[in-house]
Amino acid sequence: MPSLTSRLYSYKFFIPAAIVYVLFFLAPTFLSFFFSLTIWTLSDWKFTGLDNFKIFLTEPSLNIGLRNSLVYATATCALKVVIGFLLAAFLCTDLKTKGFLRSMIYFPNILSTIAVGIIFGSLMHPSHGLINTCLAAIGIKGPDWLGNPRMALFSVVLVDVWKGVGIAMTIFIAGIQAIPQHYYEALMIDGGTAFHKLRYITLPLSRSSMNSVIMLAFIGGIRSFDLIWVMTKGGPGFTSDLIASIIYKQLQGGFYGISTAGNVVLFVIVSIIAVPMYRFLTKVEVDL
Amino acid sequence: MKRKIARLAVETVAVLLALAIFGVPISYVLTNAGKSSAAAAQMSIAPAANTQYLANFSSVIAQSSYMLIRAFLNSAIITIVSIAVLLGISSTAGFVLERRKGRGISWINFLVLAGLMIPPAVVPTIWVLKTIGLYKNMMGLVLVEAALAFPFSVLLYRGYMGSIPRELDEASFIDGCTGFDLFMKVIFPLMKPVSATIAIITSISVFNDFVNPLYFLPGSKNVTVQLTLYNFISTYLNKWNLLFADILLISIPPLIFFIFFNKKIVSGMVAGAVKS
């Protein structure tokens, strides 16, 4: 007689999930390794070895995406972690407007990325956008946020942080609220200051939420496509192209092999950066 | 007393900053959505002399032979069916993943966790959809959305399953339940809170999704609300009033969800992030 386990928890329960997940996620992922080595028309393919990767990594208009994606992911991730943490620490103190501030900061998350891109495209207009009008009022000549090749990527980073910092904050708040109060009381008795509390209790003990935020923000940033697409289309020129926007441009151009090679590059980056990063981050975690 | 005043000052500054950084962009959209095109071109946050919200809304709705209405319909269908498929596949998988142990289960866990990190491969997915005849088809997009949201939902279900005692399973078994009965009559009803959380989070993310419809559902017949908004950028070149009116219209459903389910959204997100 089969055991209780295999009778009640049959593997048959996996069938629906397996069909959907394998067909629309796992299979395409495995196929991408093969098709990235071909010239591909979707109906027909010709094997070309590593040519697509060579093109991807040597063509200046393509390999700029690699650098930009790393910069973009690192910058958005760092800003979200630092700002999110400070906001959370502040909003876990005794404030009357706590609820209002939290909702306010979280709110941009329910807007679609396209909407946010359009709104900031207007606010960042070089001559009469609201941001530069305000800067002019205090005597600063605002930059051409999205038109200046050196600024464009950075401007989109700021918008991404504006939209996403609420999630980071929310995760940090959950972590901070889980810290037992008696740690703080002990520090008070020893005469610690507010800075000591933050530095020696809140920061180390919210480590696990920090790990989540770092992973989420970094992986989100490295795959990011929609915000840059609606705000700059990778321009001016190719200066703000990300890997994901190049994947889409190659797809539009019908270069399916190169587009897929871009996907594989993304996969490799995630594996060689994110996976060891996750291991490292979870190692330094402290138990409460 | 001095401390109290300092606190009040800090709090006032915080509120003002939040209003400037998060409030101003929102009120900018709200006021300019009701201006004439000429007035909106000034890009000022000053309130309009005379507002024309209704005229702007109706011209956005009527644009390109009422494309927005079809888009709303499409987005609603895609969102609802995606949620149904997602709940079906991830609740069953989460149930068995939590209850069984063994090497096979570890492998499945690994494949699921990998899905949280690995970026989906775009062209191969198009190829799969084409091969089975679901490219440019709403059902194809639904299945992709469900597959991409699957890992996160499984984690939530698996986590929640841990709090449902195994004694229940054994009692149902003694009462003559099969595994299927157990799941349908006992487990799935008990998991209602997670199902609700997943449904709410997914509804906002699928409704607001731009990337997947762009890849897998091209063509004007199948527009979704985010695709119309994107297409209107070139249609309404510099007519900010109409663009903003469109933004307001399509932000209403997520906004309603946010107002009613704020707590659930936040708790679900945090549970998923912290448990992974």
Side-chain angles (χ1 to χ4, degrees), chain B residues 69-92:
Chain B
I69 292 183
R70 190 171 5 167
F72 255 105
L73 216 70
N74 286 348
S75 283
I77 295 171
I78 291 168
T79 308
I80 292 168
V81 183
S82 298
I83 292 172
V85 174
L86 178 66
L87 293 184
I89 63 174
S90 51
S91 59
T92 43

Side-chain angles (χ1 to χ4, degrees), chain A residues 9 96-97 112 122 162 212, chain B residues 11 21 28 100 111 169 226 273:
Chain A
Y9 318 123
K96 285 200 181 64
T97 48
S112 75
S122 171
W162 181 85
S212 304
Chain B
E11 192 158 355
I21 296 172
Y28 175 69
R100 284 190 90 135
L111 288 176
D169 306 7
Q226 303 305 328

